[in-house]
Amino acid sequence: MLIEQPPLILRWLYPKALWRMDRNDKSVYLTFDDGPIPEITPWVLDLLDKYQIKATFFLVGDNVRKHPEEFKMILERGHRVGNHTFNHIRGFEYLSENYLANTDKANELIKSDLFRPPHGHMRWVQYYTLRDKYRIVMWDLVTRDYSKRLNGFDVFLKVKKYVRNGSIITFHDSLKSEKNLKYALPRSIEWLLKEGYTFKVFD
Ligand SMILES: [Zn+2]
């Protein structure tokens, strides 16, 4: 199964979720999951500022609680934020009531109308409940920057190979992806700009 680019069957599971934006528009949507953390998030923000790019950060509520300064930096620099649960939990492993309570708890801090489920899955009842309250944002291209089996160059190649008009691209501002992110993100941005892509955030 193609992991970097989710297959149609998966997209059909959550039909109202956003997987890819306008395919006639040469734009991409950069998203960063799992922050904020002081070790990586400010580095990402500085890089985005350098290119005057806005992005969307899907935040873990507990990280926002622990790192309010970095959370504030994301907002002050004009980026979009979304809810990624309070404890980065997997929908299938939790009773829906508890899963939903965990997302509510995160949103007391994050206050967003965007939601992305950790690990890309939710039970249907979770999905149907959440989609009334949030726009559910999945992705068109996951770079797998967190993978130990990939190096930074591999991650950069995946961006070049799979990106297309309207792609929602997922990176991670996490310790696990630090090395690959620091290699691949600046190169990806340079390459995308050279190819004529513009960078957008969700309305
Ligand atoms: Zn995540």
PDB file of all heavy atoms in Angstrom, residues 33-34 58 60 84 88 116-119 172, ligand 1:
ATOM      1  N   ASP A  33       2.645  18.498  12.488  1.00  0.00           N
ATOM      2  CA  ASP A  33       1.921  17.800  13.550  1.00  0.00           C
ATOM      3  C   ASP A  33       2.767  17.600  14.805  1.00  0.00           C
ATOM      4  O   ASP A  33       3.985  17.496  14.731  1.00  0.00           O
ATOM      5  CB  ASP A  33       1.510  16.392  13.072  1.00  0.00           C
ATOM      6  CG  ASP A  33       0.396  16.435  12.047  1.00  0.00           C
ATOM      7  OD1 ASP A  33       0.012  17.533  11.625  1.00  0.00           O
ATOM      8  OD2 ASP A  33      -0.079  15.345  11.669  1.00  0.00           O
ATOM      9  N   ASP A  34       2.079  17.493  15.917  1.00  0.00           N
ATOM     10  CA  ASP A  34       2.607  16.971  17.195  1.00  0.00           C
ATOM     11  C   ASP A  34       3.295  17.992  18.099  1.00  0.00           C
ATOM     12  O   ASP A  34       3.665  17.661  19.207  1.00  0.00           O
ATOM     13  CB  ASP A  34       3.559  15.771  17.007  1.00  0.00           C
ATOM     14  CG  ASP A  34       2.885  14.593  16.308  1.00  0.00           C
ATOM     15  OD1 ASP A  34       1.665  14.687  16.029  1.00  0.00           O
ATOM     16  OD2 ASP A  34       3.563  13.591  16.042  1.00  0.00           O
ATOM     17  N   PHE A  58      -0.914  21.316  13.667  1.00  0.00           N
ATOM     18  CA  PHE A  58      -1.858  20.489  14.420  1.00  0.00           C
ATOM     19  C   PHE A  58      -1.203  20.123  15.746  1.00  0.00           C
ATOM     20  O   PHE A  58      -0.249  19.349  15.796  1.00  0.00           O
ATOM     21  CB  PHE A  58      -2.271  19.267  13.598  1.00  0.00           C
ATOM     22  CG  PHE A  58      -3.176  19.656  12.472  1.00  0.00           C
ATOM     23  CD1 PHE A  58      -2.673  19.940  11.218  1.00  0.00           C
ATOM     24  CD2 PHE A  58      -4.536  19.813  12.707  1.00  0.00           C
ATOM     25  CE1 PHE A  58      -3.509  20.367  10.191  1.00  0.00           C
ATOM     26  CE2 PHE A  58      -5.386  20.245  11.696  1.00  0.00           C
ATOM     27  CZ  PHE A  58      -4.864  20.517  10.431  1.00  0.00           C
ATOM     28  N   VAL A  60      -0.715  19.153  19.842  1.00  0.00           N
ATOM     29  CA  VAL A  60      -1.097  18.249  20.922  1.00  0.00           C
ATOM     30  C   VAL A  60      -1.358  19.111  22.157  1.00  0.00           C
ATOM     31  O   VAL A  60      -0.480  19.881  22.578  1.00  0.00           O
ATOM     32  CB  VAL A  60       0.035  17.232  21.181  1.00  0.00           C
ATOM     33  CG1 VAL A  60      -0.261  16.381  22.410  1.00  0.00           C
ATOM     34  CG2 VAL A  60       0.234  16.350  19.945  1.00  0.00           C
ATOM     35  N   HIS A  84      -5.139  18.332  17.674  1.00  0.00           N
ATOM     36  CA  HIS A  84      -4.585  16.998  17.378  1.00  0.00           C
ATOM     37  C   HIS A  84      -4.707  16.116  18.637  1.00  0.00           C
ATOM     38  O   HIS A  84      -3.835  15.303  18.902  1.00  0.00           O
ATOM     39  CB  HIS A  84      -3.122  17.173  16.944  1.00  0.00           C
ATOM     40  CG  HIS A  84      -2.515  16.037  16.181  1.00  0.00           C
ATOM     41  ND1 HIS A  84      -3.140  15.378  15.151  1.00  0.00           N
ATOM     42  CD2 HIS A  84      -1.293  15.451  16.293  1.00  0.00           C
ATOM     43  CE1 HIS A  84      -2.328  14.432  14.671  1.00  0.00           C
ATOM     44  NE2 HIS A  84      -1.213  14.450  15.358  1.00  0.00           N
ATOM     45  N   HIS A  88      -2.476  12.927  22.103  1.00  0.00           N
ATOM     46  CA  HIS A  88      -2.065  12.215  20.885  1.00  0.00           C
ATOM     47  C   HIS A  88      -2.521  10.752  20.928  1.00  0.00           C
ATOM     48  O   HIS A  88      -1.726   9.823  20.790  1.00  0.00           O
ATOM     49  CB  HIS A  88      -0.540  12.289  20.696  1.00  0.00           C
ATOM     50  CG  HIS A  88      -0.134  12.078  19.271  1.00  0.00           C
ATOM     51  ND1 HIS A  88       0.279  10.857  18.786  1.00  0.00           N
ATOM     52  CD2 HIS A  88      -0.114  12.930  18.220  1.00  0.00           C
ATOM     53  CE1 HIS A  88       0.551  10.978  17.491  1.00  0.00           C
ATOM     54  NE2 HIS A  88       0.326  12.216  17.124  1.00  0.00           N
ATOM     55  N   ARG A 116      -7.213  17.205  13.248  1.00  0.00           N
ATOM     56  CA  ARG A 116      -6.558  16.095  12.543  1.00  0.00           C
ATOM     57  C   ARG A 116      -6.364  14.957  13.539  1.00  0.00           C
ATOM     58  O   ARG A 116      -5.754  15.144  14.590  1.00  0.00           O
ATOM     59  CB  ARG A 116      -5.215  16.532  11.974  1.00  0.00           C
ATOM     60  CG  ARG A 116      -4.414  15.361  11.409  1.00  0.00           C
ATOM     61  CD  ARG A 116      -3.141  15.801  10.734  1.00  0.00           C
ATOM     62  NE  ARG A 116      -3.382  16.319   9.401  1.00  0.00           N
ATOM     63  CZ  ARG A 116      -2.477  16.996   8.703  1.00  0.00           C
ATOM     64  NH1 ARG A 116      -1.304  17.245   9.217  1.00  0.00           N
ATOM     65  NH2 ARG A 116      -2.772  17.430   7.481  1.00  0.00           N
ATOM     66  N   PRO A 117      -6.877  13.776  13.223  1.00  0.00           N
ATOM     67  CA  PRO A 117      -6.743  12.652  14.156  1.00  0.00           C
ATOM     68  C   PRO A 117      -5.320  12.095  14.169  1.00  0.00           C
ATOM     69  O   PRO A 117      -4.747  11.863  13.100  1.00  0.00           O
ATOM     70  CB  PRO A 117      -7.708  11.611  13.575  1.00  0.00           C
ATOM     71  CG  PRO A 117      -7.762  11.910  12.116  1.00  0.00           C
ATOM     72  CD  PRO A 117      -7.596  13.398  11.984  1.00  0.00           C
ATOM     73  N   PRO A 118      -4.733  11.902  15.352  1.00  0.00           N
ATOM     74  CA  PRO A 118      -3.423  11.256  15.415  1.00  0.00           C
ATOM     75  C   PRO A 118      -3.464   9.906  14.697  1.00  0.00           C
ATOM     76  O   PRO A 118      -4.459   9.182  14.791  1.00  0.00           O
ATOM     77  CB  PRO A 118      -3.183  11.075  16.911  1.00  0.00           C
ATOM     78  CG  PRO A 118      -3.954  12.188  17.545  1.00  0.00           C
ATOM     79  CD  PRO A 118      -5.180  12.328  16.691  1.00  0.00           C
ATOM     80  N   HIS A 119      -2.413   9.596  13.986  1.00  0.00           N
ATOM     81  CA  HIS A 119      -2.269   8.331  13.248  1.00  0.00           C
ATOM     82  C   HIS A 119      -3.309   8.193  12.124  1.00  0.00           C
ATOM     83  O   HIS A 119      -3.441   7.137  11.530  1.00  0.00           O
ATOM     84  CB  HIS A 119      -2.330   7.121  14.173  1.00  0.00           C
ATOM     85  CG  HIS A 119      -1.378   7.223  15.319  1.00  0.00           C
ATOM     86  ND1 HIS A 119      -0.028   6.984  15.181  1.00  0.00           N
ATOM     87  CD2 HIS A 119      -1.560   7.597  16.608  1.00  0.00           C
ATOM     88  CE1 HIS A 119       0.577   7.182  16.350  1.00  0.00           C
ATOM     89  NE2 HIS A 119      -0.332   7.571  17.228  1.00  0.00           N
ATOM     90  N   HIS A 172       6.382  16.865  10.700  1.00  0.00           N
ATOM     91  CA  HIS A 172       6.208  16.799  12.154  1.00  0.00           C
ATOM     92  C   HIS A 172       7.243  17.679  12.848  1.00  0.00           C
ATOM     93  O   HIS A 172       8.446  17.523  12.584  1.00  0.00           O
ATOM     94  CB  HIS A 172       6.369  15.357  12.644  1.00  0.00           C
ATOM     95  CG  HIS A 172       5.285  14.455  12.147  1.00  0.00           C
ATOM     96  ND1 HIS A 172       5.279  13.959  10.878  1.00  0.00           N
ATOM     97  CD2 HIS A 172       4.165  13.999  12.752  1.00  0.00           C
ATOM     98  CE1 HIS A 172       4.190  13.210  10.708  1.00  0.00           C
ATOM     99  NE2 HIS A 172       3.500  13.216  11.828  1.00  0.00           N
TER     100      HIS A 172
HETATM  101 ZN    ZN B   1       0.468  13.110  15.282  1.00  0.00          ZN
END
